[in-house]
Structures are given as C-alpha cells and as structure tokens.
C-alpha cells in the first residue's frame, strides 16, 4: 500500500498519542495516528479514573488548550469528586471514575471526526531515516509512511515484560506484544535508557462481590467537571465501594512473599513509591494491620471492578487466596490476574523543551516512554509534542510552557532538567507557584495561548471571551469605588474602624466574606453571575500571595527569555569551572532560568553565560 | 525589580568602605539615610543616621541616575569609614527599609550586564572576583556551621522538612488514609525553630559565631610542634602541649591581631591513622576545618604525605628548627626561630584578600533569619485556623525555608516526598 506524506505521524493511540494527534491536527498539520488496532484508541489500561490532585490540574490545562481528555472524561464520568473540597481552591483537584467503554468510544468518535487526522491500523516496526533524521515510519507489513515528524508514544511497549509470580513473558500490556524491533532501532540512536516497573491489581467480577455491608463512596452532589465547556453529567452515576485488607490477608502475602515477582528477584525496574504493590505495603509498613481498598466499577454497564489498592505480582493462586480473605470479596471471581510490568524508558534529559530528541531530529517522545506514569501526565506531554511537531512543520516557532504558567510547564521542566528516578507523577507540591496555577483559572492562563496558536475551536473562543468580559465587568465594579470602614460595617461585615478606605476587592479578601455580603456596598454587583462571583472570590483569597509570586514569576520569565542555543560550546567560555562546564554540557539548559536551577551553579557562571549570549546575538545582528 | 545593596569594596583592608545601593528605590533609601533629599547626581558629604536619628558615620555620598551608573539603574554609593562596626551598622539600617535586600554575589554585575553596561571581556575580568566572593561567603558559612550553628541548622532543616511534609501529605494525598488535621504537630515543630531563630537573630548568637577576619590553620603530623607554634604566635598557653602524640583532640582557636589583621589561628589535631575513636573524630574535624580555612600553614617533613590539599598561597615549613641541622624554611615555636618571617608571610598573603566577608555573612544571616521568622509567624497564625487554609500556611512555610536556604541547604520537593513516603503508607 502506498501512503501519502504526512506532517505528523503519531505512533500509539493511548492518552499521549490521542492528545498529540488531536493537537497537531487542530493546528492544521496533516496528521496520521498509527495504532495496532482501532479499538485500542483511548484504552485505560490501569485504573478507570481520571484526574486527582495535580493530575486534575493537568487535565484542566489540557482542556484550556482545547485538548480532548477533559471533554471525553466528562462524557464518560460515572462518579465526580472534587478532592480537597474543603481546602483552598489552589489545591482542589477534580477527579472522576470513568466508564471504560464510553471513554474509548467517545475518544474514537472524536478522533474519527477530527479534521486533518487519519487513523491507520498497523504495527510500527521501524523509522524511515534520512541521514540522522527520522522522516517516516515502517509498518510490519513492510509499507512505509513518510512524514516530516514522528511522535512516539509507545507507553510500556519498549521491551515490556509482564510478571505474574515467577512467570514472565514479553508484553506491552495484558494481551499485547511488546515492540522489540522498535526497541532495537531506538538502541541504534544511542539514547540513555533506564528500566521502570509498575503494577495492576486483579480485576474482579462485580456480580460476585458481596456489596452488602460495605461502605460506599458516592460522588459529589454538585459535580465539578474537567472541561470548561461541560455543563452536566452524561452517563449514569454510580458509587464506589470501600473494603479493607486484614491480618489474614497480610499473613497470606507474608507466607508467599518469595513467590512474588518483585520479592523473588525477577524484577530490576524501579517502581513508583506512591503506587506500591500490596506486597510492598505489607513489608514496609508491617505494623499496619489493615489497608483501604476502593472497589471501582469500570463502567455503568460493566461488571468488571478494579480493586484499587492491591496491585500485585504474586502468582494467580495466591492472588485468589488473599482476595478471598477480604470482607465482601469472599467469593469474588478474578476476571484477570494482577501483574507487574517492566519496560524501558528514555532518560528525558535527552529531550528539548518541545519534547523532541536533541540528537534525533524529527522524532518526538511523549508519555510513559519519558519515565512518567499516569494518563494525565501522558496526555499533557502529548499536547506539548503535538503542538510543537505541528508548528515545526508549519514553519512556526516553538510552543513553550513555563513553570510559571502551568503544571504542564512544571512537568516538562522537571523531566528535562532532573530526569527521573522513579515513574514521575504530578503533585501540587511540585508547583512552586501553586497558588497562581489553579484548576479554576487554567482557561485564563492557557486559552489565550490556544487562541493565538489557532488550535482553539470557535465555541471555546466565544465561551471564553464572554466569560472574560463578565470577569472584567465584575473586576471593574470591585475596584472602581472604595468604602469607609463605617460603610462596610453598615453592610454587616465585621471590620476595625481604622479609617482606611477599601475597595470591593479588599473587602472580598477578608476571611469569611462572600461576594453576596458585599452587594449592599454597590447594588450593581447583584448583576454579576454566580459563576463569576465564585471566580472573583477565588482570586481574592490569594490576592496578596499572587502579587508576591508575580514578582518571582517575572524574574524567572526574564531568565527564560535568555535562550541558550543548543550549539553553544560551554568550554569556550573562559572562567567557567570544569565542573560546571561538564554539568552544563550534560544538562544542556534551554535558557538561563534552567541553567540557574543546575546544582552548584554560581552567579558568576550565569553572568558569564549571559555575557556570551549577549555577545553572540550582537555579533549576529551586525552580520545581518 | 528589587532594590539591592551590598558592600562593594571587597578588596584588601581599606580605610574606606563603599556600600552600593542599586534599583528603583536607591535614591529614596539614600535620602532616608542622609535625612534629606540628595542631588540627582553628584557627590555630597553627609551624616548617615539610623531610624532614631542617631549618627552612624560621616559619608561621601555619590548619586548616579539610570542609565549612567555601573548597573545602569539608579545608584547611590556611600563611602564610609572602613571599620567593621560602622559597615555593619549601615548595612543593618538599609535592610530595615521595605523593598531593599542584600545583593547576592555577582548581582550588581548581572544587572549591569542586563542593561548592556558590560561586555564579555569585562565580565570575564569580574568573574574571578565574583567567584572568589561566592567562595569566601560559602567558606564563611561553613565556618559558622561547623560551630554550634551547624547543629542548630541541621535541626531546623529536619523540623522544617517534617512540618512541610505533614502539611503536604494532607494536601496531595487527601484521598488516602492520612491525618486531616496536623496543626498540633506542625505548630510545635515551627515553634521550636522560631524560638531558636529569635535567640540567634536578636540575641548575641550571630555576633558570637561569625568571626570577622581570617582563619589560618596549622597542619601537620602528630607531635611536630603545632601547638607549641600556636602558643608562640599567641603569646600564651592556648593549647595544651605535651610530648605525647595526639594531645590535641579538639580544634583549638586563638583569635589575634596579626600585623593589624583580625586572624583566628586554628590548631588542629595531628593528622594520622588512629584506632582511638575520639581522636579519630578530632582528626576528621581538623581536616574539614583546615580545608575551609583561608590559609594553611603546613609543618611537614619533605617526604610527609599530606592528607589536606595544599591550596595556592599556602605556606609549607619544616618543623622543630631547634633540633635540625638545616634550618632553611624551618620554624620552632620553642625558640621563636622563623616566627617573624611566618607572621610577615601570613599577613602579606591575607592583605591581598577581603577582610569584609565576615560582615557580609553576618548581615546576610541576620536578614535571612529575620525574614524566615516573619514567615513562620504568619504560618503559625494561619495554621491555627485549621486545615482549610493549609495551602496558605504551606506557602508561608515555603518562604521561610527559602529564606533560610543558605543555612539549612536547599529543600526541594524531593526532600518532602522522601519524608512523606517514609512516614506514610500511601498509594492505591
């Protein structure tokens, strides 16, 4: 079969792949998504949930850029919960249980209907090469698809090995072959590789669970969605069940530890600390006699239940034993045993900020292959790679994200500067500008960028600009007048009579003052819609801190503006110590802000680099 | 853009010190310190006064207007008397002004560069100086930390990491089996650090620990006469000397004025292999202190292997001149032979170096602690309002930790995650 030439080929139809393909196509690049099987698009191979703390922020940001994950998760959502609901809005994270089947079919429909995007079924076994550059892919049937850029999102498929007890077999996901040939080609690039592992629990048949007497966890009554465009739930809503392991469960695991793939010495990869297997929990926290298990239905019309909290690499018979020792699961039937999977990842320090490989032009990597874990982290990287690959083909500049404007920027910077020592997961504590980077203002932070990039739908553009008009109106009302303490007290707000006049914004920043409390000060405020009222309240809570963070942000932005060309030879800067030269050569910082974060960097060294950048740019100006 | 200030005359022991203030608020700060407006450019002789109008010093005040200054910003420079007391007082006064902060080493240069006032060649010329200053401050900080403050700072680090990670675990793992209200433990941890900081920042702590001047370490094998030499230099019995090898176990310090320079002499435990645990600790300490000193005097035979690296300008002498035949480059504390030459050698080396690092370090430590204290106080106040405001309490704690970074070291998110995962069983 003869294929035409594409701008962007995305290899893989998981969360990174779909987001990358959609982003490139929305930008107007001619895009193909190559996947083993059409029905694998949008598969959730781990737990049936999207979002959470930090992760929910990522999904909101993807949505603000008009990505697909948020919209699909909302359509598939069968239980919505806003985590940290009682804490400040900066640390609230939306989370939803998703119906696997709906998620997959919605993602497929969106992908099939996306302009500029074609789905091709096939197994990519090699890249087409032009010198050192990648310019297309080769399928297992020998056919070639030329393209200007390739985004590889192969997840755990690079030399994937699945472990169940002492049985190990090659596989990228349960039931799928790993990509051996592709791994060999990647070897030829000489990239630094590492090995990681992750695990899943046994899947249970919900009809065989005794739900009677089990604690349940319903969703929020007033659901918080991922997408700024979603207004209501679409799938039937369910509750999750909660049960616990007990001392007998722990005894069974203890007695069979050496039969576990992990404890039997079959696995070398490093697993995530925040996602330990039940073996790990029992061994490391031996004094804890019980661990919580969430019984998460995989769909409204699906009997499969994902018991979140007991991932394992024990043999099947031991899995059955310990599952049956748990209250409610005495007669539970295991539909698919739990397993651990080991896979190769590429040290993300070999990537540029646009997620292209520095040494292999034309090839971008996104998702688990970069050492991350989680659907949301993968999708966010897909977005970055997709936007950038498209922009490169369209002859436009790099699309860059910063620690100061998004969790996406925090993640890209963490990965490319520090690499990973365990599968990388997002936490809100990773974002030093956490109070500014909130889920509620992701649209204000990123939708203008999407509009400028022309990857934003008309509907979103209209929705956003109308929201911004309303916000602006409310902010003017809050700032235009100031009030004496007497006036403020007269509207029922407790305040000290210090003689200071305050604006509506100032009053709103008081603890326990709601928007409705200040309406008596200016009756026109009653015209402000409920959604906008809540939004300005959230902004007011952090007003003082955001001002302080903005100062730090502008300093960081100044440093980010000083881009360091990849070809800069640090050894030619006299005065830089050998040690720093070596670190700089290894990290290859993309700008001065990243250079400043290198361990051991001195102010003198930064001044030297900056002076060199200055000289080079002047030199170029003169030549031009 | 912040307005920054620092001692700008770093070289040598000078009669005059220059304090530079640069940034948008420089002229205001100058006017406040001089008790009246300054001409927009030019030179004036003025009396600098503190907030209670008490005179600090007579100063020659130079005003520069952007872009015609070293940094390209508005700048005020005070030329004051080079005494440590005066410099410290003026720096302390400036740090009381809102919006002003001490400059990091190299920050003036950085701004000059940003504003196009320097080229690469000029920066290369300055880089050595900046590095020297950075290194000197680092050494100073280590000297301070090697003393009592080190143990304190270590405890602050541990307690602050614990406190911050407790708050973060309630935030980032809210959907797991973790405590909801951690206020009592966090509050107790912060109170401990606060109490220490109050004592260090407002009491005599810093002044006692930060020595101005230089450290000179005397190094050599056991029983080559290091302590005898120290006693001879100090003119009193500061170290216990005996003919048994391994007498000196602690590092002994003697502060003295050497040719007009403030110098602390360090007598270190003899460097040798030992099975004696206590002596072993003494030797490890000696090695560390000696490496961080400004200058080392080695008392060694020509074939002795050195455990401590010789650094440029270090002095190497043969021990016990009184009992050797060839007395060239030899010294004896017992007879006083070679002592005068040593003193003049030491002072020649030190005179070429800055004597003011100690003052800068002292000012920086005080600023650091005061800033951290104020953040911790706010954090405490917010903590008492319960878990709903933990995000803001965490932000204040982060500010405090960042302020203390030069004392407690960098605390990144990985430090918090390490603490979190070792204390809580997390993960579904």
């Amino acid at each position: 079969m003869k294929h035409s030439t594409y701008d962007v080929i995305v290899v893989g139809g998981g969360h990174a792949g779909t987001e990358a393909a959609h982003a490139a196509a929305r930008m107007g690049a001619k895009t193909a998504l190559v996947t083993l099987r059409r029905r694998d698009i949008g598969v959730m191979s781990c737990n049936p949930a999207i979002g959470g703390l930090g992760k929910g922020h990522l999904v909101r940001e993807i949505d603000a850029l008009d990505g697909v994950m948020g919209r699909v998760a909302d359509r598939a959502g069968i239980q919505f919960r806003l985590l940290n609901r009682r804490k400040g809005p900066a640390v609230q994270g939306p989370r939803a249980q998703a119906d696997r089947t709906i998620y997959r079919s919605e993602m497929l429909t969106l992908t099939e209907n996306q302009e500029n995007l074609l789905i091709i079924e096939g197994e990519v076994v090699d890249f087409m090469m032009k010198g050192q550059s990648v310019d297309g892919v080769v399928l297992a049937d020998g056919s070639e698809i030329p393209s200007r850029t390739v985004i590889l999102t192969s997840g755990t498929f690079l030399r994937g090995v699945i472990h169940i007890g002492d049985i190990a077999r090659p596989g990228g996901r349960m039931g799928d072959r790993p990509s051996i040939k592709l791994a060999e080609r990647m070897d030829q690039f000489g990239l630094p590789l590492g090995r990681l592992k992750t695990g899943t629990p046994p899947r249970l048949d919900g009809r065989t669970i005794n739900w009677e007497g089990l604690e349940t966890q319903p969703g929020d009554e007033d659901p918080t969605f991922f997408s700024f465009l979603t207004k209501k739930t679409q799938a039937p809503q369910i509750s999750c069940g909660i049960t616990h392991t007990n001392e007998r469960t722990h005894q069974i695991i203890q007695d069979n530890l050496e039969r576990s793939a992990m404890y039997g010495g079959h696995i070398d990869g490093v697993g995530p600390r925040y996602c330990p297997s039940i073996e790990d929990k029992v061994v490391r926290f031996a004094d804890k006699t019980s661990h919580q298990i969430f019984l998460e239905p995989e769909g409204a019309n699906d009997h499969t239940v994902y018991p979140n909290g007991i991932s394992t690499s024990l043999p099947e018979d031991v899995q059955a034993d310990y599952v049956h020792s748990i209250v409610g699961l005495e007669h539970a039937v295991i539909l698919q045993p739990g397993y651990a999977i080991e896979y190769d990842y590429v040290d993300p320090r070999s990537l540029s900020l646009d997620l292209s490989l520095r040494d292999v032009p034309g090839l971008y990597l996104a998702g688990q292959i970069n050492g991350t874990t989680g659907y949301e982290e993968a999708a966010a990287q897909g977005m970055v790679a997709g936007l950038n690959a498209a922009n490169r083909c369209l002859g436009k500049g790099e699309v860059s994200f910063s620690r100061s404007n998004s969790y996406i920027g925090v993640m890209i910077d963490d990965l490319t500067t520090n690499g990973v020592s365990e599968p990388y997961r997002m936490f809100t504590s990773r974002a030093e500008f956490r109070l500014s980077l909130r889920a509620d203002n992701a649209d204000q932070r990123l939708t203008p960028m999407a509009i400028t990039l022309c990857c934003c739908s008309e509907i979103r553009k209209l929705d956003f600009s109308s929201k911004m008009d309303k916000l602006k109106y409310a902010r003017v009302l809050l700032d235009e007048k100031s009030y004496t303490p007497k006036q403020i007290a007269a509207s029922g707000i407790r305040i000290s009579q210090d003689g200071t006049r305050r604006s509506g914004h100032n009053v709103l920043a008081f603890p326990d003052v709601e928007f409705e409390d200040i309406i008596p000060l200016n009756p026109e405020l009653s015209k402000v819609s409920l959604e906008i009222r809540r939004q300005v309240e959230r902004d007011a809570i952090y007003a003082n801190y955001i001002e302080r963070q903005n100062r730090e942000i502008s300093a960081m932005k100044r440093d980010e503006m000083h881009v360091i060309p990849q070809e800069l030879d640090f050894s030619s800067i006299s005065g830089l110590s050998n040690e720093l030269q070596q670190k700089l050569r290894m990290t290859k910082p993309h700008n001065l802000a990243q250079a400043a974060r290198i361990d051991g960097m001195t102010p003198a060294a930064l001044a030297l680099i900056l002076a060199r950048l200055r000289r080079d740019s002047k030199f170029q100006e003169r030549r031009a | 853009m912040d307005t920054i200030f620092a001692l700008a005359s770093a070289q040598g022991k000078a009669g005059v010190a220059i304090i530079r203030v640069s940034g948008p608020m420089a002229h205001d700060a100058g006017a406040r310190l001089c008790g009246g407006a300054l001409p927009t450019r030019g030179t004036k002789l003025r009396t600098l006064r503190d907030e209670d109008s008490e005179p600090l010093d007579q100063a020659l005040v130079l005003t520069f207007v952007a872009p015609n200054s070293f940094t390209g910003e508005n700048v005020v420079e005070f030329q004051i008397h080079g005494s440590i007391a005066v410099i410290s007082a003026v720096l302390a006064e400036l740090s009381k002004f809102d919006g002003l902060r001490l400059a990091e080493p190299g920050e003036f240069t950085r701004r000059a560069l940003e504003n196009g006032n320097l080229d690469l060649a000029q920066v290369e010329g300055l880089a050595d100086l900046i590095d020297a200053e950075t290194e000197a401050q680092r050494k100073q900080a280590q000297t301070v930390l090697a003393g009592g403050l080190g143990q304190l700072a270590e405890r602050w680090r541990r307690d602050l990491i614990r406190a911050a990670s407790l708050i973060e675990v309630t935030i980032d793992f809210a959907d797991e089996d973790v405590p909801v209200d951690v206020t009592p433990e966090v509050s107790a941890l912060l109170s401990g650090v606060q109490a220490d900081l109050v004592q260090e920042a407002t009491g005599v702590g810093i002044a006692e620990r930060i020595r101005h001047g230089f450290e000179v370490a005397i190094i050599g094998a056991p029983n080559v006469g290091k302590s005898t030499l120290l006693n001879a230099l100090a003119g009193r019995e500061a170290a216990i000397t005996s003919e048994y090898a391994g007498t000196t176990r602690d590092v002994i310090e003697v502060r003295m004025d050497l040719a007009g320079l403030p110098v602390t002499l360090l007598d270190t435990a003899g460097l040798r292999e030992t099975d004696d645990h206590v002596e072993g600790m003494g030797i490890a300490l000696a090695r560390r202190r000696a490496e961080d000193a400004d200058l080392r005097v080695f008392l060694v035979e020509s074939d002795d292997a050195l455990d401590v690296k010789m650094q440029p300008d270090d002095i190497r002498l043969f021990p016990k001149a009184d009992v050797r035949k060839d007395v060239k480059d030899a010294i004896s504390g017992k007879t006083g032979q070679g002592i005068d030459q040593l003193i003049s050698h030491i002072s020649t080396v030190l005179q070429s170096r800055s004597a003011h690092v100690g003052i800068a370090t002292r000012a920086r430590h005080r600023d650091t602690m005061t800033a951290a204290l104020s953040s911790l106080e706010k954090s405490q106040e917010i903590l008492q309002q319960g878990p709903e405001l933990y995000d803001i309490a965490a932000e204040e704690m982060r500010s405090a930790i960042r302020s203390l970074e030069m004392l407690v070291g960098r605390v990144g998110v990985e430090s918090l995650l390490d603490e979190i995962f070792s204390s809580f069983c997390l993960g579904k």
Side-chain angles (χ1 to χ4, degrees):
Chain A
M1 186 173 128
K2 179 89 178 121
H3 291 279
S4 53
T5 301
Y6 288 88
D7 288 326
V8 181
I9 286 179
V10 178
V11 183
H15 303 279
T18 45
E19 209 61 73
H22 277 271
R26 278 201 311 282
M27 296 281 284
K30 191 179 169 197
T31 309
L33 189 158
V34 186
T35 175
L36 285 175
R37 287 174 302 263
R38 187 172 281 262
R39 64 181 160 83
D40 285 346
I41 286 179
V43 154
M44 290 193 268
S45 32
C46 195
N47 66 324
I50 302 272
L53 294 158
K55 289 165 169 280
H57 287 76
L58 284 173
V59 184
R60 290 283 279 185
E61 290 180 357
I62 291 168
D63 185 69
L65 293 161
D66 213 13
V68 283
M69 178 173 256
R71 284 181 274 158
V72 173
D74 282 343
R75 283 178 209 174
I78 49 177
Q79 186 221 41
F80 291 88
R81 287 199 311 127
L82 181 63
L83 303 182
N84 278 335
R85 184 174 271 280
R86 301 200 51 206
K87 293 199 182 76
V91 294
Q92 291 176 354
R95 182 184 190 277
Q97 294 298 141
D99 181 309
R100 246 182 234 289
T101 315
I102 302 178
Y103 194 94
R104 224 164 52 185
S105 69
E106 286 291 335
M107 187 58 90
L108 181 60
T109 308
L110 276 187
T111 308
E112 284 172 337
N113 294 341
Q114 174 65 47
E115 215 182 318
N116 301 326
L117 176 55
L118 187 79
I119 302 170
I120 296 173
E121 283 191 320
E123 185 191 356
V124 172
V125 293
D126 201 356
F127 297 118
M128 293 165 66
M129 300 298 297
K130 184 171 154 193
Q132 297 300 306
S133 307
V134 166
D135 72 342
V137 297
V138 181
L139 302 186
D141 64 9
S143 62
E144 297 185 334
I145 318 177
S147 71
R148 299 167 70 186
T149 57
V150 173
I151 303 174
L152 182 63
T153 69
S154 53
T156 58
F157 279 67
L158 277 188
R159 267 187 282 262
V161 175
I162 287 177
H163 297 267
I164 302 175
D166 53 6
I167 303 168
R169 60 191 157 75
R173 183 161 54 205
M174 211 53 167
D176 285 325
R177 290 165 296 167
S179 314
I180 304 273
K181 275 191 188 160
L182 206 53
E184 283 165 4
R185 167 61 86 176
M186 293 293 283
D187 282 347
Q188 287 172 13
F189 294 145
L191 300 167
L193 300 177
R195 203 132 172 93
L196 294 172
K197 72 134 217 257
T198 186
T200 66
R203 313 292 165 88
L204 309 176
D205 185 336
R207 291 168 300 188
T208 60
I209 293 175
N210 179 12
W211 297 93
E212 205 103 337
L214 288 186
E215 201 184 319
T216 59
Q217 183 188 52
D220 292 340
E221 274 178 30
D222 169 25
T224 304
F225 300 108
F226 294 110
S227 176
F228 287 90
L229 299 178
T230 306
K231 307 294 174 206
K232 58 179 200 308
T233 57
Q234 286 165 47
Q237 301 296 295
I238 54 100
S239 291
C240 290
I242 297 175
T243 183
H244 297 87
T245 62
N246 52 48
E247 291 184 32
R248 201 159 70 83
T249 321
H250 296 189
Q251 194 57 53
I252 295 169
I253 291 163
Q254 276 290 358
D255 292 345
N256 291 284
L257 259 192
E258 77 287 352
R259 296 182 62 199
S260 143
M262 247 156 346
Y263 283 84
H266 303 296
I267 293 180
D268 308 317
V270 184
R273 286 179 297 180
Y274 40 77
C275 205
S277 62
I278 188 66
E279 295 95 295
D280 263 341
K281 292 186 189 180
V282 168
V283 171
R284 291 190 47 229
F285 292 88
D287 51 335
K288 233 180 147 192
T289 52
S290 171
H291 297 277
Q292 209 170 31
I293 304 167
F294 285 86
L295 299 172
E296 305 178 349
E298 299 211 344
N301 299 310
D302 188 338
H303 303 300
T304 316
V305 166
Y306 187 97
N308 206 345
I310 49 171
S311 83
T312 186
S313 63
L314 284 161
E316 285 189 59
D317 61 309
V318 184
Q319 293 189 27
D321 280 355
Y322 83 69
V323 163
H324 295 150
S325 73
I326 295 165
V327 175
L329 309 184
E330 294 87 349
H331 305 290
V333 170
I334 294 180
L335 298 175
Q336 179 192 306
Y339 61 90
I341 179 162
E342 263 192 304
Y343 55 96
D344 278 358
Y345 75 98
V346 175
D347 184 339
R349 282 174 293 192
S350 41
L351 299 166
S352 296
L353 291 179
D354 63 359
L355 296 185
S356 66
L357 279 167
R358 271 200 303 260
D359 298 335
V360 189
L363 184 57
Y364 293 72
L365 306 181
Q368 261 174 311
I369 189 172
N370 291 338
T372 63
T373 164
Y375 308 147
E376 304 81 358
E377 287 83 352
Q381 291 170 66
M383 172 69 77
V384 174
L387 292 177
N388 274 292
N391 245 15
R392 177 178 294 188
C393 296
L394 302 170
K396 297 186 195 162
E398 187 178 301
V399 183
S400 54
F401 294 84
S402 155
R403 301 187 76 87
S404 63
N405 74 3
S406 57
Y407 277 76
I408 298 178
V410 169
M411 175 172 67
I412 301 292
D413 183 63
D414 281 348
L415 293 174
T416 55
T417 315
N418 304 326
V420 299
S421 54
E422 67 182 323
Y424 177 96
R425 180 193 145 168
M426 186 46 76
F427 296 107
T428 69
S429 47
R430 293 197 193 275
E432 62 271 46
F433 302 120
R434 177 163 71 187
L435 300 185
S436 311
L437 308 183
R438 307 193 304 271
D440 68 76
N441 68 10
D443 56 342
Q444 294 178 58
R445 293 185 277 119
L446 297 174
T447 302
M449 180 173 167
I451 293 172
T452 314
L453 287 170
C454 300
C455 68
C456 184
S457 69
E458 280 306 311
I459 299 174
R460 187 179 299 269
K461 230 191 272 184
L462 284 175
D463 197 74
F464 178 70
S465 70
S466 118
K467 178 178 171 184
M468 290 311 287
D469 288 345
K470 289 187 214 159
L471 258 179
K472 201 169 152 197
Y473 169 69
R475 285 173 181 156
V476 169
L477 284 183
L478 288 169
D479 283 332
E480 67 182 358
K481 289 186 192 152
S482 65
Y483 312 94
T484 63
K486 219 177 201 168
Q487 289 172 304
I488 296 168
S491 52
I493 296 164
R494 280 197 315 172
I495 183 172
S496 67
Q497 297 295 319
D498 57 1
T500 314
R501 296 183 71 90
R502 288 177 174 85
S503 71
H505 254 137
N506 298 147
V507 181
L508 207 50
F510 287 9
D512 303 328
V513 171
E514 289 179 6
F515 193 94
E516 284 69 21
D517 299 327
I518 61 168
I519 292 179
L521 290 172
N522 180 357
E524 215 185 322
L525 285 169
S526 63
K527 291 187 198 158
V528 174
S529 72
L530 288 181
E531 184 203 352
I532 299 296
R533 289 181 190 184
R534 300 291 85 83
Q535 188 59 47
V536 290
E537 278 173 2
R538 287 189 285 257
D539 291 335
I541 295 176
Y542 300 118
N544 293 332
Y545 293 92
I546 286 174
E547 206 173 299
R548 191 159 87 189
Q549 293 202 333
N550 282 342
R551 279 202 297 273
E552 280 181 55
I553 287 174
S554 60
M556 187 186 286
K557 281 205 175 128
R558 267 200 306 278
D559 280 358
E560 282 172 353
M561 302 275 281
H562 297 298
V563 175
I564 302 175
Q566 289 303 295
E567 62 277 7
L568 180 67
D569 176 12
F570 292 103
S571 58
S572 70
I573 303 179
S574 75
L576 272 185
S577 73
N578 281 337
E579 191 194 343
L580 276 180
Q581 280 182 15
Q582 206 180 349
K583 280 186 181 168
L584 284 162
R585 268 199 302 272
M586 212 179 71
T587 316
K588 291 219 171 176
H590 302 86
N591 53 51
L592 211 59
Q594 247 192 338
R597 284 190 282 271
I598 293 176
D599 190 38
M601 183 54 63
T602 68
L606 287 174
L608 282 169
I609 298 170
L610 180 59
R612 176 56 180 271
L613 296 178
R614 275 286 154 85
R615 195 195 68 180
D616 290 356
S617 69
K618 266 197 200 133
F619 185 63
Q620 273 168 10
E621 267 167 41
R622 239 178 282 143
R623 280 217 314 203
Chain B
M1 188 68 100
D2 293 347
T3 299
I4 53 174
F5 66 92
L7 190 65
S9 55
Q11 288 304 295
K13 181 175 158 290
V16 175
I18 301 172
I19 290 175
R20 181 184 289 144
V21 188
S22 176
M25 292 177 59
H27 290 179
D28 292 344
R32 262 179 74 179
L33 212 54
C34 299
L38 291 162
T40 40
R41 57 173 62 78
T43 312
K44 284 279 169 207
L45 189 66
R46 289 286 168 85
T47 303
L48 307 185
R49 292 174 189 279
D50 69 10
E51 54 188 346
D52 303 320
S53 293
E54 292 298 322
L56 297 166
D57 194 21
Q58 279 276 348
L60 199 59
V61 185
L62 287 75
T63 319
F64 304 87
V65 182
N68 300 314
S69 70
F70 174 72
T71 56
E73 301 177 321
N74 279 351
V75 165
V76 172
E77 286 183 7
F78 305 102
Q79 298 194 357
I80 55 177
H81 291 97
S83 101
I84 285 152
V86 169
I87 300 171
S88 301
V90 175
L91 288 177
E93 204 53 35
L94 283 169
S95 62
K96 285 181 197 161
F97 294 1
D98 250 1
L100 260 65
R101 63 172 174 80
L102 269 173
E104 304 290 330
E107 209 172 356
F108 289 127
T109 307
R110 176 69 196 274
R111 290 194 178 188
L113 196 55
E114 293 270 5
N115 292 322
N117 284 15
L118 290 176
D119 62 27
L120 182 58
Q122 286 170 303
V123 174
E124 281 180 358
L126 285 169
D128 281 350
L129 292 184
I130 301 168
D131 261 345
E133 193 188 342
T134 313
E135 179 61 14
Q137 291 203 5
R138 187 192 67 78
K139 277 188 172 177
Q140 269 285 334
Q142 279 186 352
T143 311
V144 175
L145 292 175
L149 194 54
Q151 281 165 3
L152 266 185
E154 195 67 27
R155 198 169 77 213
W156 296 342
R157 181 183 169 86
R158 205 180 54 226
D159 289 355
L160 289 172
I161 287 178
R162 173 80 186 161
S165 60
L166 280 170
I167 292 287
E168 294 301 343
V169 86
T170 70
I171 292 176
D172 267 336
F173 298 91
D175 53 340
E176 306 226 16
D177 215 357
V178 295
V180 174
D181 186 347
V182 293
T183 297
E185 186 180 350
V186 173
S187 181
L189 287 164
L190 296 190
S191 298
V193 177
Q194 279 171 285
D196 288 348
L197 283 175
V198 169
Q199 204 172 8
E200 289 297 316
T202 57
V204 286
I206 300 179
E208 267 187 353
R209 291 207 176 86
I210 302 188
R211 309 259 154 74
H212 53 266
F214 301 100
E215 285 194 345
V216 176
I218 305 174
I219 303 165
N223 218 15
V224 295
K226 296 185 296 297
S227 299
T228 315
L229 174 62
L230 177 91
N231 290 343
L233 286 166
R236 62 188 160 96
E237 291 266 311
I240 307 156
T241 55
S242 81
E243 56 198 286
Y244 301 109
T247 310
T248 309
R249 278 179 174 170
D250 290 316
V251 178
I252 291 178
E253 304 180 17
V254 176
R255 299 176 65 183
M256 57 185 296
D257 220 38
L258 228 157
L261 291 169
V263 168
T264 302
L265 286 171
L266 306 177
D267 175 19
T268 57
L271 299 178
R272 62 166 186 176
E273 293 299 318
T274 177
D275 294 331
D276 181 335
H277 180 63
V278 180
E279 192 188 347
M281 280 166 50
I283 290 172
L285 180 66
R287 217 167 264 160
R288 220 167 42 236
R289 283 297 294 275
E291 274 164 9
D292 286 330
D294 298 283
L295 184 67
R296 281 143 295 279
V297 176
F298 290 85
L299 286 188
V300 286
E301 296 296 347
S302 47
D303 54 350
D304 280 355
L306 301 182
D307 286 332
V308 176
K309 228 175 86 190
M310 279 272 271
Q311 296 175 29
D313 287 345
D314 281 357
I315 300 168
R316 185 171 178 154
L317 295 168
F318 295 116
K320 301 189 176 174
D322 47 312
V323 296
R324 52 193 318 137
K325 275 189 218 132
D326 180 6
V327 295
K328 189 178 176 306
D329 290 331
I331 193 163
S332 164
K334 220 173 185 174
T335 61
Q337 206 172 333
I339 295 270
D340 289 344
Q341 290 94 313
L342 178 61
I343 291 175
S344 93
H345 194 160
I346 291 176
S347 61
T348 313
V349 172
L350 294 185
Q351 242 149 18
S352 67
R353 300 191 191 170
S354 164
H356 293 316
V357 181
I359 309 177
T361 312
R362 189 187 309 182
R364 198 176 295 284
H365 282 189
R366 187 185 45 229
D367 267 22
T368 286
M369 292 187 197
T370 322
L373 202 48
S374 127
S375 302
L376 288 179
E377 278 160 8
K378 283 188 208 128
S379 192
Q380 282 280 20
E381 200 185 304
I382 298 160
L383 272 176
Q384 303 314 318
Q385 300 175 48
E388 289 174 28
L389 296 183
Y390 277 178
D391 51 344
I392 298 180
E395 179 67 16
E396 291 291 359
M397 239 181 271
R398 189 182 76 92
S399 293
I401 293 174
R402 275 193 55 164
S403 301
L404 284 177
E405 200 166 89
M406 72 173 295
L407 291 172
V408 302
R410 190 178 284 194
V411 176
V413 65
E414 289 305 324
S415 316
L416 304 188
L417 291 176
D418 286 346
E419 171 71 22
I420 287 172
F421 290 122
S422 63
S423 318
F424 297 95
C425 180
L426 295 167
K428 295 192 230 171

